[in-house]
Amino acid sequence: MSENSKSSIKNNPILGVFISNKGILSVLVLLCIIVALVTDKFLTPNNIVSVLRQISINAYIALGMTLIIILGHIDLSVGAIVAMSGTLTVGFIVNQGLPMGLSIFLGLLFGVLAGFISGGIVACFRVPAFIITMAMMNVCKGIPRVYSGGQSTRINDDFFAAIGTGYLFNTIPLPVVYMVILIIIFSFMLSKTKFGTYVYAIGGNREAARLSGVPIKKVEIAVFTLSGLLSAFAGLVLCSKMYSGQPSVGDGYELDAIAACVLGGTSMSGGKGRISGTVIGAMVIGIISNGLNLIGVSSYWQLIAKGLIIACAVLLDAQKDKISFKKKK
């Protein structure tokens, strides 16, 4: 690629997104064509809105997961935090009679604390993130079940329901608006701030980052805390959309978030990843789920399909790393 071409891409961020994600974008376009040919329900306005809503929930979680994977870690607790935050928020409003604003704050706070604790243990005690977040997953699964007795809690407040079911200008679903805002914030954070530079530096070479004076512990704690906050926010939007807090609603969300990141080009070995790729990866996951639902494929088979997708994406990622390593040699 010539210097003029590189300069043109650098000065045109939209073109840069298309060029840097051309592989996964090709998969997305091909997938849309296949699903549209298989079922005529796919391109209907109602279904498109449904897909956007579904993608938005996964996108919130996947944004935080992207930062964690770039660091070279993994977070298995995000799905459990979704359920915990949603169940507690609704429970505080319905059962305890707390004001809605305070209930939402407390629900988000529980997610923040879960992420902060996981990040603190990972950063300060060098415990593998896989282990500590698996432990946190069980804790966060247990809390809403203990609190609610394993039962869902119904809420009929119209204002609360509007958080997840409302529209901007009677056209754009509010969950999609939140998604766009968060994508802009995290894209800027990761590509234009010192914090983003630190995240890439730690994931690329932790020892070199330490010698360069990067505050590794603070960055790791901040990233896990952000992941907890985003997961809790996803739980808030989801329980608002369902008019209820359900202790088991977050099961499997960590799988979708990891799949979106890996499909979008985030390297499981750390140091590489883009928010734009993660968003496109979330679109691919959402369209696969939606297409299989429209065709009438069982949810059990959908789990198998998602598992195979992650396995293939990780294998491709490993092959790319091998090729780049050989080129460097």
Side-chain angles (χ1 to χ4, degrees), residues 35 39-43 47 51 288-297 302:
V35 176
T39 172
D40 56 1
K41 297 178 182 178
F42 177 67
L43 294 178
N47 187 64
V51 172
I288 289 173
S289 296
N290 180 257
L292 293 175
N293 282 331
L294 291 176
I295 298 169
V297 176
Q302 291 184 34

Side-chain angles (χ1 to χ4, degrees), residues 173-227:
L174 285 180
V176 178
V177 176
Y178 309 147
M179 177 178 69
V180 172
I181 293 172
L182 287 171
I183 289 169
I184 293 171
I185 292 172
F186 275 79
S187 295
F188 179 82
M189 182 193 300
L190 201 55
S191 61
K192 301 295 183 181
T193 68
K194 187 180 291 186
F195 177 77
T197 303
Y198 287 165
V199 171
Y200 281 114
I202 295 169
N205 190 321
R206 185 185 179 91
E207 183 60 20
R210 185 186 66 81
L211 294 173
S212 300
V214 174
I216 294 176
K217 291 182 180 179
K218 291 182 179 179
V219 172
E220 288 182 326
I221 292 172
V223 168
F224 275 91
T225 303
L226 280 172
S227 178

Side-chain angles (χ1 to χ4, degrees), residues 134-165:
M134 183 170 62
M136 183 59 70
M137 175 183 69
N138 287 315
V139 172
C140 293
K141 278 186 175 183
I143 289 174
R145 285 170 168 81
V146 170
Y147 173 79
S148 66
Q151 303 298 314
S152 62
T153 306
R154 185 77 177 172
I155 183 169
N156 295 312
D157 189 287
D158 291 337
F159 183 80
F160 183 79
I163 296 173
T165 62

